[in-house]
Structure formats: C-alpha cells, structure tokens
Amino acid sequence: MRDRIHSQVAFHCEFMTLPTMRKFLPMLLCLSGIASAQQIKVEDIYAKYCSGCHGAKFEGGQGGILVDGVWKHGSTDAEIAKTITKGNLQLGMVPWEGILTGDQIRSLVIFLREKEKQTLAKGMSFPKPSPDKVTKTELHDYRIETLVESGIKDPWAIAFLPDGRKLLTEKSGRLRFITADGKLDPKEIEGIPAVIEHGQGGLMEVAVHPDYAKNGWVYLGLSDGTREKREGGKDEVRCITAVVRGKIKGHKWTEQEWIYRPDPKFRSGAGVHFGTRFVFDKGYIYFVIGERGGLMEVQDLSLPNGKIHRLHDDGRVPADNPFVKTKDAIPGIWSYGHRNPQGLAMDARDGTLYSTEHGPRGGDELNLIKPGANYGWPIVTLGMNYDGMPMSYRGPDGKEILSVTEKEGMEEPVAFWLPSIAVCGLDFYTGDKFSKWKNDLLVGALAQQEIRRLRIEDKKVVSQEIILKDIGRVRDVAMGPDGLIYVILNGPDRLVRIVPAGK
Ligand code: HEC
C-alpha cells in the first residue's frame, strides 16, 4: 500500500510573519474562538470549546476520553453537568459556568451520552500502523514498525542504552526495559523514588548520561511530593517536578542522588504543566520545570516553576549561571517566563538550545533559549484562554491586565503554531538512515497527532513538513543510536519506530 502525506509546507510560521500575525490576531481569535456562544450547535460547542483537550475525535488528550464509559468524577447526568459547570482547575478542567448557559451544558451532557453509546456499541477503534504501508514524504519514504502495543499505560519518554536496550517511563511511575530486539521486559525496575501521579504529572523524563558506558548514570524527571488521603473527599496532593539520578543493577535502582529536588514549599496542588525533558552538554544538564498553572510566578526568579534550569550533571550550581548573584533567585535558573516547555533539544552544529512550549489556545512556540532571557509568559503570548477569552493575568496590585503579543525585553518565538498543535517531544535528527533529514528538528505534537520536520538554517526555521500524521498523540520523538526514529504514542499507548523504505 502506498500513501502520500501531502507536503503542506506552508505552515503557520511561513504563511504569516509575526507582525502580520499581530495585525490579524483579533480576527483570528474571533474565528477560532467564539465571540458569542449563544447560537451555536452542540457539535460546534464541543469542537470549539472541548476538543482541544478531549480530542476532536473524542480520543482524549490533556483531558480524558469522555466517551469510553469511564467517568472519574461522577457518572450520573447531574454529576457530569456539575463537572462541566464547576470544572476542576487543579486538574486543568475549565469551569464553563458563565461562558456556556445551563441549556448548553445540558445539551453537552446529552451529546456526550450519545457519543458514549455509539462508541461503546462499536468498540473503541484506533488506527493501527500497518507494517507494509509505505509513507512517502518529500525527502524520504518510510514504514512504521510497532514495537510495543500492550502492557504499557501512558508511556512518556525513551532513552537508549549502549547494549541496544532502551528505558521507557510510564506516567504512573513505572520504569521499564525494552529489550534490544524491541520487546517490553515485563519486569519493571524496582526502587525508583515514589512518584506522585497527579493530572499531567507522574514519572516523565528518562535520559542516560552521555558517558553512561563509563559511569552508568540514569536520570529521571518526575513529580515529587506528598499525597494525603482525606476523609470522604479528594486527596490532598502537593507536588513539583524534580530531577534524580541513579544506577540500574539488574532490575534494581541503586546509588540514588537527587540532582534538583525543590524545597517542599514550592510544591503545589495543581495537576498541570510539569515540563521536564533533559539535554546534556559539556558536563551540564538542562531541564524544565513547567509553570504549574502559576501565571506571574513564572516572572519571579525566587520560584523554580516556569523556568529552564542548568546545573552541573551532579547537581552543583555552575558559578556562571545568569542569576547566581541575584538576591533570592534560584541559582539554577537559566531562562524564565516559560509556560510549559515539553521539548528540549540542542543543535549539535552550533550548540544552540531550543525548546517547544505549550502555549494556551493558539500560542504554541519554538523558542531559542538564551541564558538569562525572559520568554514573556503570561505578559506576552499569541494565544488566548481555553474559553475563547483573551489571556490576562493579575498585576502586583491585583488588577487584571490583558496579555500583549510583544514587549521589549521579552524574547519572541522562532516559530509558533496557530491553532496549537500541543508540542511535546523534540529531537534533532543526526543519524545516517535518513540522510536527507540530517540536522532537521523533529517536533512531536499531541493534539494534532503528528511529527513535523523543521529545517533550521542560521537559527531560523526555513521550511516545515508534516512527516507523520494521525496514528496517535505523539508524546515523545527521539532518534536512536541506530539512526531510526522512535515515537511514543499516547491513546492508544504504543512504542513505534520509523524505518527507511526505498527512497
Ligand atoms: C483546558 C483543557 C480542557 C478543556 C478545554 C475542557 N476540558 Fe474537560 N477536562 C479536562 C481535564 C484535565 C479533566 C480531568 C481529567 C482527569 O480527571 O483525568 C477534564 C474532565 C472533564 C469531565 C469529567 C470526566 C470524567 O471522567 O469524569 C467532563 C465531563 C468534561 N471534562 C467535559 C468537558 C466539556 C464538555 C468541555 C467543553 C465545554 C471540556 N471538558 C473542556 C480538561 C479540559
């Protein structure tokens, strides 16, 4: 079977420059959001307000699948209506009260019930990549091999060991081996730190030290904190992203050392935006702590959230970090003003560090990371709120201030995506199997279920192509030492790899 992915090269960063984009922003927001929600059909309400998080095809996303018969927050019509009305900001569910009318919320419940019935009747079906299918792209043709398709839940990241095995994290807190021939080792690795699985957080990043063959260090990024049971109510959770390293002996995690374990006072109950992702370079580790929903906290250098950090790979603070001499600043901070970067990669050609950052609705960004720079969240953004309202935040005096699209002293993105594609996972392709993709940046996307290939010249994106589409939400994309491209998919949870076919 042959199939062509159209080379839709004219994506947002080419067809619209930043200044043009700014001029048309109010109109675009009006088109993609909703100025008045009063007279629209329930299908359109779902498409416009809910699909960004619950999936255009009801496949789930940042918010769960709403049509699989599983209702975590109450399964009666009244309970579902209440969840929609009151939301759950801790977990990232928007309260729709005041935006949608009572009638509209009631029709959403009916609509979801209909869809639930239809889906349960025919069984959930997801596209499965066929091993014989060749996908043609501009420069290379490839096939997809499915390595693992059962036994894993919410896989998050992959790392490669010199003996051909791989390490795979699952959000629930399991660290697994994938054997050299690509099979899931049923026995999990025991003794890693307790992980607080909460909303989007849990066990996330895994990476091996560049000198792993000599030193054996494995690094993990996880949600660290406490969970206390409360009588008859919700658990009391406090957590934040932390970085730890250890060595794996057999199936045991040993010699553990915390690289960065934020003070417990920085933990929060929010279930959103944990960041993570590591890059190693010249004895340093770079990592991300997402903003945890904390708006202006991102601009506060005495807090670790909403920042990209740089430490020596043993956790010491480098003496030349940009804020080591700033009073009360967290000394590991490398750059700030970030919302939720979940892609981090370095261009080996010139050592430039890039991050992809989840924006609000319509504000996903590719950023070039410079020491000490401010990336502007929530003061500057091209996106808007999930409810279609402009982004705003509270100033020091508590007054509401509208976000702007540019501001002196705040970095502009190298590229942006409107609508948001939900960027997650990022890697430069440096192998030989796909030689014409050499030094291209591979960008994973959850909501749009795709991988984009960005050609970068002189630190600018000169072209962009979708090379993979619609086989699941892309959580991580990583080039293996074998030059093949490994892709972690969520919903359906799978590990697949892209292998050359012909061209
Ligand atoms: C910004 C993202 C976001 C948007 C937009 C959003 N939701 Fe949610 N929703 C969530 C999250 C996160 C949860 C909690 C998931 C969990 O508990 O794991 C949730 C939970 C829910 C639940 C409870 C599901 C259960 O298992 O009990 C319902 C019902 C729901 N959403 C309906 C809606 C509807 C209807 C809309 C549109 C009007 C909507 N949501 C828009 C993020 C979102």
Side-chain angles (χ1 to χ4, degrees):
M1 224 195 318
R2 298 224 129 200
D3 178 39
R4 169 134 204 119
I5 289 195
H6 298 290
S7 311
Q8 306 166 35
V9 189
F11 280 104
H12 319 296
C13 46
E14 282 113 340
F15 97 77
M16 233 187 274
T17 59
L18 265 179
T20 333
M21 157 84 189
R22 283 196 182 100
K23 209 163 104 203
F24 289 109
L25 196 67
M27 191 184 88
L28 283 167
L29 292 188
C30 190
L31 285 176
S32 62
I34 318 185
S36 149
Q38 297 309 309
Q39 291 106 20
I40 57 174
K41 287 195 303 200
V42 69
E43 287 81 3
D44 296 334
I45 296 183
Y46 180 85
K48 285 174 175 161
Y49 287 106
C50 321
S51 68
C53 294
H54 291 288
K57 297 177 200 120
F58 306 95
E59 72 278 19
Q62 182 180 329
I65 300 176
L66 296 178
V67 295
D68 58 357
V70 181
W71 298 99
K72 286 198 233 168
H73 305 281
S75 61
T76 65
D77 290 357
E79 284 166 326
I80 296 169
K82 188 169 164 222
T83 315
I84 302 174
T85 312
K86 300 287 176 202
N88 182 331
L89 281 177
Q90 265 208 356
L91 292 177
M93 166 67 183
V94 181
W96 294 99
E97 194 169 28
I99 299 154
L100 299 174
T101 65
D103 281 347
Q104 285 172 325
I105 291 175
R106 204 169 45 82
S107 22
L108 275 168
V109 174
I110 298 168
F111 174 70
L112 292 177
R113 285 292 194 210
E114 287 169 3
K115 292 288 164 201
E116 177 188 19
K117 212 166 145 227
Q118 286 166 11
T119 337
L120 293 180
K122 68 171 158 32
M124 290 288 258
S125 71
F126 292 106
K128 182 181 152 86
S130 146
D132 311 320
K133 182 169 135 183
V134 172
T135 300
K136 295 170 75 92
T137 75
E138 267 175 53
L139 302 175
H140 285 291
D141 298 350
Y142 68 80
R143 286 183 303 108
I144 293 177
E145 287 178 2
T146 302
L147 299 180
V148 180
E149 57 181 330
S150 62
I152 49 172
K153 173 119 199 330
D154 300 327
W156 220 93
I158 188 168
F160 304 91
L161 297 171
D163 63 6
R165 286 181 305 164
K166 293 133 192 99
L167 290 165
L168 182 95
T169 54
E170 291 171 88
K171 195 173 71 131
S172 62
R174 291 196 293 190
L175 179 62
R176 317 288 295 263
F177 282 122
I178 306 294
T179 61
D181 58 354
K183 303 215 165 49
L184 178 70
D185 179 341
K187 201 167 156 203
E188 66 187 273
I189 295 156
E190 286 167 5
I192 65 163
V195 166
I196 303 295
E197 190 188 14
H198 181 50
Q200 297 165 8
L203 179 58
M204 295 169 282
E205 177 71 318
V206 56
V208 300
H209 191 283
D211 282 333
Y212 174 88
K214 283 201 207 103
N215 63 29
W217 286 119
V218 173
Y219 290 68
L220 298 175
L222 50 88
S223 154
D224 171 47
T226 53
R227 178 190 298 277
E228 285 167 31
K229 293 265 172 245
R230 284 274 180 273
E231 276 300 310
K234 289 195 180 102
D235 292 354
E236 171 81 15
V237 176
R238 312 281 307 159
C239 57
I240 188 164
T241 312
V243 180
V244 68
R245 73 174 177 184
K247 297 183 185 180
I248 300 172
K249 302 273 153 65
H251 284 77
K252 285 225 156 49
W253 177 257
T254 62
E255 295 177 54
Q256 172 173 302
E257 292 175 5
W258 289 97
I259 297 301
Y260 184 55
R261 191 179 200 187
D263 189 293
K265 71 180 180 208
F266 298 128
R267 294 173 183 166
S268 91
V272 296
H273 307 170
F274 288 79
T276 80
R277 300 294 184 202
F278 305 153
V279 161
F280 291 94
D281 184 50
K282 302 190 183 77
Y284 300 112
I285 177 173
Y286 296 84
F287 60 91
V288 186
I289 301 188
E291 113 287 23
R292 315 284 287 102
L295 290 181
M296 280 307 269
E297 293 177 7
V298 162
Q299 293 291 326
D300 184 342
L301 293 171
S302 70
L303 302 173
N305 44 328
K307 318 288 181 333
I308 292 179
H309 297 245
R310 181 183 80 154
L311 294 174
H312 288 293
D313 57 23
D314 59 2
R316 283 173 303 122
V317 173
D320 60 347
N321 263 10
F323 301 110
V324 278
K325 298 207 171 67
T326 309
K327 193 171 170 289
D328 296 332
I330 306 268
I333 295 176
W334 184 247
S335 62
Y336 67 110
H338 296 287
R339 187 174 181 268
N340 190 28
Q342 288 198 315
L344 197 62
M346 189 171 273
D347 191 340
R349 293 171 296 181
D350 58 8
T352 307
L353 186 65
Y354 292 90
S355 80
T356 41
E357 176 161 338
H358 293 283
R361 200 163 147 189
D364 282 7
E365 298 177 351
L366 173 72
N367 284 313
L368 188 160
I369 302 304
K370 301 182 215 159
N374 182 355
Y375 290 81
W377 180 254
I379 300 167
V380 180
T381 177
L382 296 167
M384 66 174 164
N385 256 320
Y386 286 103
D387 61 8
M389 299 298 281
M391 260 312 302
S392 66
Y393 57 96
R394 299 213 175 267
D397 54 1
K399 270 225 223 71
E400 189 175 8
I401 305 173
L402 285 184
S403 307
V404 293
T405 55
E406 64 184 319
K407 196 171 175 108
E408 179 116 12
M410 301 200 179
E411 296 298 319
E412 309 227 305
V414 180
F416 58 89
W417 291 278
L418 181 101
S420 295
I421 58 175
V423 278
C424 197
L426 188 70
D427 204 5
F428 275 95
Y429 187 81
T430 53
D432 296 319
K433 295 265 164 58
F434 296 99
S435 56
K436 293 181 202 139
W437 290 350
K438 205 157 188 134
N439 296 316
D440 286 350
L441 188 58
L442 303 175
V443 180
L446 291 160
Q448 291 300 321
Q449 307 195 359
E450 62 196 26
I451 295 177
R452 286 170 184 243
R453 179 182 65 83
L454 273 53
R455 174 131 309 171
I456 299 201
E457 280 168 19
D458 294 332
K459 308 187 196 329
K460 288 192 185 67
V461 179
V462 295
S463 71
Q464 200 175 142
E465 182 196 17
I466 295 178
I467 56 167
L468 176 146
K469 185 86 187 147
D470 284 342
I471 57 164
R473 296 160 49 72
V474 177
R475 176 61 71 184
D476 197 12
V477 47
M479 190 194 79
D482 51 10
L484 303 177
I485 299 165
Y486 290 76
V487 184
I488 291 183
L489 301 169
N490 284 173
D493 294 329
R494 284 188 188 128
L495 171 65
V496 304
R497 69 178 172 201
I498 298 178
V499 302
K503 186 174 91 174

